[in-house]
Amino acid sequence: MTSVNSKRKRLIEKSLPPKIETYIPESRLFMQLQSLERKLDAKIVRKRLEVQEALGKPVYKKRILRVFVSNLAANQAAAAGGNDETDAEGKGAGGRFDSAEAPSWTLRIEGRLVDPPGTSSKARLPAHKFSEFINSMVVELERDPELYADNVVQWRRSAAECDVDGFEVKRRGDEDVKTKIMLDIRTATDRFKVNSPILRELLDIRGTISKAGFIMKLWQYIKLNSLQDSEDPDQIRCDAGLRQAFGSPVVSFTAIPQMLHVFLTRPDPLVIEYTVRVHEGDFHMGQYAFDIEVEVEELARQGAGPLANVLTRQRELAHIQSQLTQKMQEIYNARSKRDFLRNFSEDPVAFTHRWIDNQTKDLEVILGDRRHGLEAALSAIMVADSTSQEMTSERKHALEKEATKWLKESALYDEPWAEEAVFHYLSAKTQERMQQLLQQQQQQPPTTNGA
């Protein structure tokens, strides 16, 4: 039985001799199948890497972020009941109210995700904070800068801060204030605004777009209108629209990524205008709510998808493969043991002799002394044989086979010529050693004594 490793060797890894096609023409089909399997393996590996990369990337889903703007008012009744002198005395240096009960208002900006239609309370997704979807926020207050110095409020995202559900801006005052709220919406990928009206019209771009999306749309436009140079595909022959946008009749496609900063700019912030009203009660809600489309990362993929558990299935297949290898090794060992015992039961004597022959050969290979005993026995036979001087090659080969056979029998060493064979063998080795010493002495240069 062949080994397990050779059994597990794939057909695609086996190579046929080059001349086999001459004798077996059908072997060409086997080679074609090997080539086809190599291509199939390459495609499977590439698709597997693409699936792993896709599973490793986060998946974003578009959701609606609803923004509410409102304000609170405090101590406005006392301010409304006072006269102008009281109001003037209540304001100190820098336009601030010195009294602890001075009228004030609080601007509140809040937001929450709108649940998709048909979402039950059990299937509701984890809550997200409002500040997760904002990079920065600026609030401008339209107030007299001579009386109020802090009319601009800014907030920027920081890794050290925790996300919140809303923002509050508290100021003192007893008058309605117009505010302008500018929100920079956070996206999964950096998106830009195309500032060229010509390119927006040619490429049919509405809203913001990523750099990769812009280059893809431009490439589709070039391919659709066959603008590539026939001799140098890297050169783009601009039509009238692109010539006006790029300012050149010929543009290198590889240079377009370096030109993106000319055509793409940061998108305009979302502007919400709201008037803080302090004389309509302690709480005032804006008339409108503002819906903004945002991207939310899906924390859990759908389990029913065919690619959801690819990595888990690969680990399971690898474990099953290792178990198969182990079982095949156990089967091979069991069959070897069975063959050993069956051959021994059929003819114990012959089997024992074969086994001793194999063990003798293995021992000779391990010790590196295969020929010494054979040479001694052969020398003894040649000395005892009167016709050894006229020995032919056939006779010598027959004697070698006979000596090999005798070496495996213990009675060989009880023969009367055994001591003589050992003597001749040792004498030959002694003579060989003496010759080596004489040659070394002759090769050494003579030494002369100094005067």
Side-chain angles (χ1 to χ4, degrees):
M1 181 177 180
T2 57
S3 63
V4 178
N5 291 335
S6 61
K7 282 289 185 183
R8 294 184 63 247
K9 190 173 182 180
R10 301 175 58 196
L11 292 177
I12 193 176
E13 299 173 356
K14 295 182 179 181
S15 59
L16 299 179
K19 297 182 179 179
I20 196 172
E21 188 176 350
T22 306
Y23 304 101
I24 308 177
E26 292 80 3
S27 62
R28 186 183 305 173
L29 298 176
F30 178 77
M31 297 178 182
Q32 293 176 358
L33 287 175
Q34 282 185 322
S35 177
L36 180 60
E37 187 174 357
R38 291 190 187 97
K39 294 180 181 178
L40 182 61
D41 288 345
K43 289 184 179 295
I44 291 175
V45 171
R46 185 174 70 252
K47 291 298 180 182
R48 184 180 298 168
L49 293 177
E50 291 177 358
V51 169
Q52 291 178 355
E53 183 180 1
L55 292 176
K57 290 182 178 180
V59 177
Y60 295 93
K61 186 178 182 180
K62 292 187 180 298
R63 298 279 299 278
I64 298 299
L65 175 67
R66 184 161 294 172
V67 180
F68 304 91
V69 183
S70 60
N71 72 271
L72 302 174
N75 302 319
Q76 299 296 329
N83 52 23
D84 295 340
E85 296 179 357
T86 304
D87 295 340
E89 291 176 357
K91 296 180 181 180
R96 296 182 179 275
F97 293 89
D98 297 331
S99 173
E101 300 296 331
S104 62
W105 51 264
T106 302
L107 175 65
R108 302 177 64 179
I109 307 166
E110 301 168 300
R112 65 177 180 84
L113 288 176
V114 179
D115 293 332
T119 303
S120 61
S121 58
K122 294 182 179 180
R124 182 168 296 173
L125 299 175
H128 291 268
K129 301 293 185 179
F130 173 55
S131 60
E132 293 182 29
F133 308 101
I134 299 177
N135 286 323
S136 63
M137 182 183 66
V138 178
V139 180
E140 295 182 355
L141 308 177
E142 294 185 8
R143 299 193 298 177
D144 189 356
E146 295 181 358
L147 297 178
Y148 306 98
D150 49 352
N151 292 331
V152 178
V153 180
Q154 296 184 0
W155 176 87
R156 293 187 180 277
R157 166 170 293 278
S158 175
E161 297 181 1
C162 297
D163 292 316
V164 294
D165 289 323
F167 301 91
E168 292 185 350
V169 179
K170 186 175 182 180
R171 292 292 184 269
R172 292 184 178 183
D174 57 356
E175 298 177 352
D176 295 346
V177 179
K178 292 183 179 181
T179 63
K180 184 182 292 185
I181 304 167
M182 291 171 282
L183 302 177
D184 182 11
I185 304 301
R186 185 183 183 187
T187 56
T189 57
D190 292 336
R191 304 185 72 83
F192 301 89
K193 179 184 68 172
V194 181
N195 54 17
S196 173
I198 300 175
L199 287 178
R200 286 202 302 267
E201 186 67 24
L202 289 177
L203 306 182
D204 191 23
I205 298 176
R206 303 290 184 265
T208 59
I209 192 172
S210 63
K211 291 183 178 180
F214 177 81
I215 295 178
M216 180 59 66
K217 280 185 171 292
L218 181 60
W219 173 249
Q220 292 174 353
Y221 180 83
I222 292 171
K223 294 292 288 183
L224 181 63
N225 295 275
S226 303
L227 301 180
Q228 279 184 289
D229 189 89
S230 58
E231 297 181 357
D232 186 2
D234 182 60
Q235 299 298 320
I236 308 302
R237 301 289 179 180
C238 299
D239 56 5
L242 291 182
R243 187 183 300 111
Q244 187 177 357
F246 291 122
S248 175
V250 180
V251 177
S252 175
F253 191 81
T254 56
I256 291 179
Q258 286 75 28
M259 303 167 59
L260 291 181
H261 67 280
V262 180
F263 307 106
L264 302 181
T265 57
R266 294 292 301 176
D268 298 329
L270 177 66
V271 179
I272 300 175
E273 294 184 352
Y274 175 78
T275 301
V276 177
R277 302 189 183 278
V278 297
H279 301 300
E280 297 184 3
D282 295 340
F283 176 76
H284 177 263
M285 172 65 75
Q287 185 178 2
Y288 303 102
F290 304 90
D291 288 349
I292 306 171
E293 191 177 66
V294 296
E295 297 176 343
V296 180
E297 180 179 355
E298 289 187 343
L299 300 180
R301 299 174 184 267
Q302 296 181 359
L307 303 179
N309 299 322
V310 172
L311 297 179
T312 304
R313 294 289 181 262
Q314 287 181 352
R315 288 192 292 267
E316 293 177 357
L317 288 176
H319 180 65
I320 294 174
Q321 185 69 21
S322 63
Q323 289 182 338
L324 287 175
T325 304
Q326 182 178 0
K327 295 300 181 183
M328 291 176 66
Q329 184 66 40
E330 293 177 358
I331 293 173
Y332 172 73
N333 295 336
R335 180 170 179 177
S336 300
K337 183 177 180 180
R338 187 203 66 175
D339 294 342
F340 181 89
L341 296 177
R342 184 181 63 182
N343 294 334
F344 179 76
S345 63
E346 292 176 353
D347 191 353
V349 177
F351 177 80
T352 304
H353 283 299
R354 288 196 302 270
W355 183 78
I356 292 176
D357 292 343
N358 294 331
Q359 295 296 320
T360 303
K361 293 178 181 178
D362 294 341
L363 182 61
E364 291 175 351
V365 172
I366 293 173
L367 298 178
D369 196 20
R370 297 187 60 184
R371 302 295 298 176
H372 290 172
L374 181 59
E375 291 174 356
L378 183 59
S379 300
I381 295 173
M382 292 174 63
V383 170
D385 194 342
S386 59
T387 62
S388 61
Q389 302 297 330
E390 301 176 359
M391 184 178 298
T392 61
S393 58
E394 292 79 3
R395 174 61 178 167
K396 185 176 181 181
H397 181 65
L399 290 177
E400 287 180 356
K401 292 179 65 176
E402 188 176 359
T404 303
K405 180 181 178 181
W406 285 355
L407 282 173
K408 300 173 184 177
E409 299 178 0
S410 59
L412 170 68
Y413 302 96
D414 295 333
E415 296 291 334
W417 47 262
E419 293 185 5
E420 186 177 358
V422 172
F423 173 75
H424 284 287
Y425 174 74
L426 294 177
S427 299
K429 289 295 181 181
T430 303
Q431 292 292 332
E432 183 180 353
R433 181 58 180 167
M434 290 180 63
Q435 292 293 334
Q436 292 178 357
L437 293 175
L438 289 175
Q439 291 178 1
Q440 292 178 1
Q441 186 176 6
Q442 292 176 359
Q443 292 176 358
Q444 292 181 355
T447 57
T448 57
N449 296 328

